[in-house]
């Protein structure tokens, strides 16, 4: 009896281990242990690595898990994914199932639901599924473009290395250093100049105020002048000048005749020449014109 008891104990332990292992495997796969999920079918042409225990999401929230994958050996383009969804979740008509993969290669099913959720699918209905490569697919699509860019990048890097190896670059950098030092010196000088200006500006403003006061005084003095009387006198003077100019331009009077009569001018010119000749002769032969003797006049 003791031997039978040991065999029974071993059998019971084995049965318990198998049951624990079974439910443990389901738990590790993410499958529900004791709940009765609603089962739906999703038809794919390519499952892209989808397997049992892959999660099912709706608007980013996990609503179920893939329970099994059924492959149709007669039609290779039909693969059914058996999914179990939470009993509280109802799939509206028009919902699309998409396969998505993240950067680590994990596959999930994302349910894209329409805005109208008034009509829902019955439990056990089949949805059509599509494949969305996600980030990995986009990265793969970029590979051809990157391959085309690599020769250009290599050429650009070669040109950049050639430019950097040019001694003129090092000289330019030294010049930039010198220019920076000069700018620092100039900034210091400008600071000194601004300090001097801040010191001198108050005195300059005082002088400017004095000049403005003198200008105001001059303006006041000018306002006190009799401008009308002065202008009248100036007009009278201009009128006298005009009359004198008119008299000179006319042929009346001595000055007018002198300016317009060529004969008078010629006579005056001839008289001046005769007078000049007389003076010259008087200076050379004074005895012809003056006779003076103590003893009387001699014939």
């Amino acid at each position: 009896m003791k031997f039978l008891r040991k065999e029974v104990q071993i059998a019971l332990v084995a049965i318990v281990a198998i049951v624990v292992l079974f439910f443990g495997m389901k738990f590790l796969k993410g499958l529900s242990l004791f709940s009765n999920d609603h089962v739906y079918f999703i038809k794919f042409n390519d499952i892209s690595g989808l397997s049992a225990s892959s999660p099912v999401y709706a608007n980013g929230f996990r609503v179920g898990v893939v329970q099994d994958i059924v492959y149709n050996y007669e039609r290779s383009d039909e693969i059914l994914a058996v999914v179990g969804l939470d009993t509280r979740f109802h799939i509206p008509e028009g919902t699309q199932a998409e396969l998505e993969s993240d950067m680590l290669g994990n596959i999930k099913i994302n349910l894209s639901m329409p805005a109208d959720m008034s009509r829902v699918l019955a439990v056990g209905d089949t949805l059509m599924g599509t494949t969305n490569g996600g980030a990995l697919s986009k990265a793969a699509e970029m590979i051809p473009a990157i391959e085309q860019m690599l020769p250009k990048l290599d050429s650009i890097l070669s040109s950049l290395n050639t430019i950097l190896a040019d001694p003129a670059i090092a000289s330019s950098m030294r010049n930039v250093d010198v220019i920076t030092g000069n700018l620092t010196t100039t900034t210091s000088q400008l600071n000194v100049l601004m300090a001097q200006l801040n010191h001198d500006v108050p005195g300059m403003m005082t002088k400017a105020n004095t000049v403005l006061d003198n200008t105001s005084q001059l303006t006041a003095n000018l306002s006190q002048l009799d401008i009308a009387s002065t202008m009248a006198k100036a007009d009278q003077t201009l009128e006298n000048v005009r009359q004198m100019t008119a008299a000179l331009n006319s042929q009346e009077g001595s000055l007018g005749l002198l300016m317009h009569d060529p004969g008078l001018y010629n006579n005056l010119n001839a008289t001046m020449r005769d007078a000049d000749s007389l003076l010259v002769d008087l200076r050379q032969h004074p005895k012809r014109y003056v006779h003076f003797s103590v003893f009387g006049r001699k014939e």
Side-chain angles (χ1 to χ4, degrees), residues 211-231:
V211 172
L212 290 176
D213 293 339
N214 295 335
T215 303
S216 300
Q217 184 65 31
L218 177 61
T219 304
N221 294 335
L222 289 175
S223 63
Q224 295 177 0
L225 295 177
D226 190 358
I227 302 299
S229 177
T230 303
M231 294 302 296

Side-chain angles (χ1 to χ4, degrees), residues 35-201:
S35 62
N36 295 323
D37 293 339
H38 290 168
V39 177
Y40 295 88
F41 300 95
I42 303 176
K43 183 184 294 185
F44 293 100
N45 294 330
D46 184 0
I47 60 174
S48 300
L50 183 68
S51 61
S53 74
S54 295
V56 180
Y57 290 89
N59 297 329
F61 180 77
R62 181 169 176 170
V63 294
V65 67
V66 177
Q67 295 181 352
D68 193 10
I69 303 295
V70 179
Y71 184 78
N72 188 353
Y73 290 93
E74 295 179 357
R75 297 191 59 179
S76 60
D77 58 345
E78 291 186 3
I79 303 175
L80 287 179
V82 182
V83 298
L85 303 181
D86 194 315
T87 56
R88 296 170 296 178
F89 180 76
H90 301 282
I91 301 178
E93 292 184 357
T95 300
Q96 293 182 352
E98 293 183 349
L99 285 180
E100 293 184 359
S101 60
D102 55 18
M103 295 298 294
L104 299 178
N106 299 320
I107 307 298
K108 67 179 180 179
I109 296 178
N110 185 34
L111 299 179
S112 300
M113 296 179 294
D116 184 12
M117 301 182 64
S118 59
R119 301 176 61 184
V120 297
L121 297 176
V123 177
D125 284 349
T126 302
L127 288 75
M128 296 301 300
T130 58
T131 302
N132 183 1
L136 290 177
S137 178
K138 294 180 180 179
E141 292 176 357
M142 294 174 60
I143 290 177
I146 294 174
E147 290 179 349
Q148 294 179 359
M149 292 175 59
L150 287 178
K152 297 181 180 180
L153 290 175
D154 184 60
S155 177
I156 292 173
L157 290 176
S158 298
S159 301
L160 184 60
N161 290 330
T162 303
I163 293 173
L164 293 177
D166 192 349
I169 298 297
S171 178
S172 299
M173 295 302 295
R174 288 193 294 270
N175 293 333
V176 169
D177 190 16
V178 174
I179 292 172
T180 304
N182 294 335
L183 287 176
T184 303
T185 304
T186 303
T187 303
S188 301
Q189 295 176 353
L190 286 175
N191 291 332
V192 174
L193 179 60
M194 292 302 297
Q196 185 66 29
L197 287 176
N198 292 331
H199 181 267
D200 295 340
V201 163

